Structure formats: structure tokens, C-alpha cells
Amino acid sequence: MVYLDYSATTPVNKSVLDTFIKATTDYFGNPNSLHKLGLDAKKLIDASTKQIANILNVKETEVIYTSGASESNNTAIKGICFKYQNRGKHIITTRLEHSSVTAPISYLQNLGFEVSFVDIDSDGKIDLDNLKSLLRKDTILVSISSVNSEIGITQDINKIGKIIKENSNAYFHSDITQSIGKEKIDLSFVDLASFSAQKFYGFRGIGCLIKRENIVIEPLIHGGKSTTVYRSGTPATNLICSCAKALRLVYEDFDDKYKHVLELNKYLREKLKDNEDIHINSPISAIPHILNISIKNIKPETMQHALEEEDIYVSTNTACSTSKKSIAVYELTKDEDYATHSIRISLSYLTTKTEVDTFLKVLMKKIEGLK
């Protein structure tokens, strides 16, 4: 098998699985209970929270556990807008965001909120002057992801955060799901940040929302004691512990892991760049873990299934997208054909050059066979 869909989900690290099993079997007490089993479970959660906070350089009180990035994004966006709508109803975002950002913003738009979209340049970078010009007295939220999930476009979230702080009273939220574990994260100028453990070799069903402690939001879920008042529900000790373990492990030997992925990305680009049937959509400045390409006259679903026949797995845009056209590819290229014929190759430090060579050989064979 050649798995090249790591940006959709990653396999669970064996050590992370061991942590999950141990927490499940040895710390099964309800962490809200006051007896010894409950207190032991709570201590384990507190230790995990401290580890996550230390890695991300935030306070332990700023870590909110959720079911994943989609819930974190919804909680951040709706939570800010519902709490501070008396200050204004203006939101700024981009057309490069994940559906779990665009959907709640569209929902709020139907409730009377106004949305502005920031311009991007030819590499997909935010036009900082345009962002500055869009900021108003009634702007309460800016939501811009650190890395686009389809093309891998990266944004300087701290530079964006500084502009927001210097020119408005708006809060800055960033979906860092595709950054975490792939690049070193600095959240100094970010008010709220969302991520999911499944993207860095943890389990599905657990994620975090980092929220600065001076910010109050309206919760999505009410009732039931938890680790924070901003997300009710019995804390999942096993998932929380495994999330902390996965986050710690993914940053071990980080530079070597990053270099390996970068070399694979360069190799792929070199092999694909001169093929007249292929257009590379991801700019050079994109994160190396994601390479988005369009294949001339071949539907992405057709190519995806053709590769699947050879036990090779890639993605057509993002796994959560409901559109057949890649909005992100269209926004970057302004080309309808590229946007409707794109596939995403996503790499990992687990990916081998042999796997990439196998993929390239089969891809070329399939292109010739399907033309």
C-alpha cells in the first residue's frame, strides 16, 4: 500500500495507542468523581494539559478539549460572535478556509453578520494592506488558517495577528490543523487556535481549542462538568492523554522529519513539472507536506479510483469538502479546469522515496490509459 493522504488523517502512532490503552484500562474512573479513581484520572488529565500547554507555549487554563477541529472552529467562531455581537457584526476571513470555518460563518451571515473576504496574492498569501483596509470598528472576528488544507498555502499568522491588534479590537482565530506537527507553531499574536489529534498520529474524536484566558466566549455545549466551563461533557481521559502523547512525539526529531518531507516534495515536483498533462497548483512557498496537482482532462474521482486499484491512496480536494470543485485551487489559479481536475498528494515523515517512485510510475501509466 502507498498511502499519500496524510492531510486527511494519519495512522495512530503505536506509542500513542499504548497510552490510550493504559489510560482506558488503568484510569477508567470518571475524572469528575471525588473518589480515588476519579482523582487519579483527573491528575492524568491535568498532566496531559500541562504537557500540551508547554509544547504550544500557552497557559494550561487556555486549553479546551473538543471532539476535533470542526467543533473547535465552530466553538471559536460562534462563541466569539454570539458573545461580542453587541460590539459589531463584522467578520473577516478568506476563501481558502476549511468547510468547518466557512460553514459557521455562512450560518452567522444568515443571522445578520457581515462577512468580508481578504484578497490573496499569486502565491495565496494574504494581502496585508487589504486586510488592514477591511478592519473596522465593528469588526469582531478575523478567522484565517495558518495552512490551507488543499494546496498547503502558508500564512504568517503572527504578522496577521499584529496587524489586527494594531488596527482593531477584533479577535483573531486561526485553524492550525494543517500546521501542527508539520511546522513549529508560534501563537503569540493569535487569540484562538483550533486543531485535531488525527492530523498528527493521534486518535479521531479529540481536538483542542486554544483560547486566551482574558477572552470569554459563548459555549456551544451546556451542562455537565468538564475541564473548562467553555465545553461541557465528561472529559475523555484516554483521548486527552493520547492527544498529549501524540503532540509530544510528533515534535521529536522535528528537523529531520521536516527535511525528509521537503526532499520528497522537491523530488515529486521535479518529476512532475515537465509533464504537459499535469499542472502543479501548490506554490513553492506551500508547506512541503501537501502537493496539489491538476491532471488535464481526467476527473479527479476517476484518477483517485484508478490509483486505488493499485493500492495507492490520494485525495480529491479535502475529505470534508462537499464541492466537486476545489474552491481553494480556483481562488489561487482562477482556472476552472484546474479547480475541477485537482488531486491532493499529502506526505509524511513516514513516506518513503520508494513509495513516491511507485506512485509516480503508476500515475504516469494511469494518465496514458485514461487519456
Side-chain angles (χ1 to χ4, degrees):
M1 179 182 75
V2 177
Y3 184 71
L4 298 173
D5 199 18
Y6 287 94
S7 290
T9 196
T10 55
V12 176
N13 183 298
K14 176 64 166 57
S15 295
V16 174
L17 177 60
D18 290 342
T19 296
F20 178 88
I21 292 171
K22 184 172 178 59
T24 301
T25 55
D26 296 352
Y27 295 88
F28 59 85
N30 189 322
N32 291 333
S33 298
L34 298 179
H35 53 61
K36 184 178 182 302
L37 288 177
L39 294 175
D40 287 347
K42 186 179 183 304
K43 286 179 183 177
L44 199 61
I45 288 175
D46 290 344
S48 298
T49 303
K50 184 176 182 179
Q51 187 174 88
I52 291 171
N54 287 341
I55 293 170
L56 298 178
N57 196 27
V58 299
K59 297 178 181 179
E60 294 168 49
T61 54
E62 296 177 335
V63 179
I64 301 170
Y65 295 110
T66 68
S67 62
S70 291
E71 184 188 333
S72 294
N73 286 334
N74 273 264
T75 300
I77 294 165
K78 295 175 184 174
I80 287 290
C81 290
F82 288 150
K83 187 67 181 180
Y84 297 103
Q85 58 184 312
N86 61 315
R87 297 185 187 177
K89 289 190 171 185
H90 183 228
I91 304 168
I92 298 174
T93 188
T94 79
R95 299 188 190 278
L96 300 174
E97 304 306 307
H98 188 269
S99 60
S100 61
V101 170
T102 60
I105 287 178
S106 294
Y107 167 77
L108 290 165
Q109 201 170 12
N110 291 333
L111 296 180
F113 286 80
E114 183 184 352
V115 180
S116 296
F117 294 93
V118 192
D119 294 338
I120 59 173
D121 64 20
S122 58
D123 285 332
K125 301 286 189 181
I126 294 299
D127 183 328
L128 298 176
D129 289 333
N130 182 241
L131 171 62
K132 187 175 178 180
S133 71
L134 291 175
L135 290 165
R136 310 185 321 210
K137 287 184 179 180
D138 63 338
T139 306
I140 57 172
L141 178 68
V142 179
S143 184
I144 298 173
S145 61
S146 56
V147 171
N148 167 264
S149 60
E150 292 187 41
I151 312 176
I153 296 167
T154 61
Q155 305 293 347
D156 188 336
I157 56 175
N158 276 330
K159 189 175 287 186
I160 291 169
K162 285 180 185 178
I163 289 174
I164 295 167
K165 294 288 181 294
E166 291 169 358
N167 296 278
S168 74
N169 292 316
Y171 294 110
F172 178 35
H173 164 252
S174 184
D175 180 354
I176 62 170
T177 304
Q178 294 294 344
S179 286
I180 197 156
K182 297 173 183 172
E183 60 180 4
K184 294 176 181 177
I185 299 287
D186 181 1
L187 300 175
S188 300
F189 289 89
V190 179
D191 297 308
L192 306 105
S194 311
F195 63 87
S196 177
Q198 75 180 80
K199 307 297 186 181
F200 50 88
Y201 314 94
F203 283 88
R204 289 184 284 274
I206 181 68
C208 290
L209 171 63
I210 306 300
K211 179 195 69 65
R212 297 303 179 188
E213 63 178 0
N214 63 314
I215 299 173
V216 178
I217 61 174
E218 188 65 33
L220 290 185
I221 302 172
H222 299 83
K225 187 179 178 183
S226 188
T227 59
T228 169
V229 298
Y230 297 108
R231 204 280 191 177
S232 297
T234 305
T237 307
N238 47 12
L239 287 173
I240 290 170
C241 294
S242 66
C243 178
K245 181 69 169 287
L247 187 60
R248 178 176 66 80
L249 291 177
V250 79
Y251 279 108
E252 288 184 354
D253 303 317
F254 176 82
D255 291 340
D256 290 338
K257 291 174 180 174
Y258 187 90
K259 182 182 178 182
H260 174 71
V261 174
L262 181 60
E263 288 173 351
L264 291 179
N265 183 285
K266 288 179 178 178
Y267 180 70
L268 262 172
R269 285 177 179 271
E270 185 64 29
K271 294 294 184 180
L272 297 174
K273 69 177 184 178
D274 295 326
N275 190 307
E276 63 181 13
D277 294 309
I278 294 174
H279 179 268
I280 298 176
N281 298 312
S282 297
I284 292 294
S285 60
I287 200 166
H289 303 71
I290 296 175
L291 186 65
N292 190 293
I293 65 174
S294 293
I295 305 174
K296 187 177 179 181
N297 297 327
I298 299 176
K299 292 182 179 179
E301 297 85 0
T302 302
M303 179 55 73
Q304 183 183 43
H305 293 309
L307 292 170
E308 185 182 8
E309 291 173 355
E310 306 290 338
D311 213 16
I312 298 173
Y313 300 92
V314 297
S315 175
T316 60
N317 53 56
T318 62
C320 300
S321 176
T322 57
S323 173
K324 289 190 176 182
K325 179 174 84 173
S326 171
I327 296 173
V329 171
Y330 182 77
E331 185 68 12
L332 180 67
T333 65
K334 303 302 182 186
D335 190 296
E336 192 80 22
D337 283 339
Y338 293 158
T340 53
H341 291 84
S342 68
I343 64 171
R344 182 186 66 184
I345 306 155
S346 47
L347 307 168
S348 160
Y349 70 89
L350 298 175
T351 308
T352 66
K353 184 173 178 294
T354 300
E355 289 177 327
V356 171
D357 281 331
T358 299
F359 163 72
L360 287 168
K361 181 180 179 180
V362 174
L363 177 67
M364 299 311 166
K365 183 180 74 173
K366 295 296 183 180
I367 289 175
E368 289 304 312
L370 291 169
K371 281 171 64 173

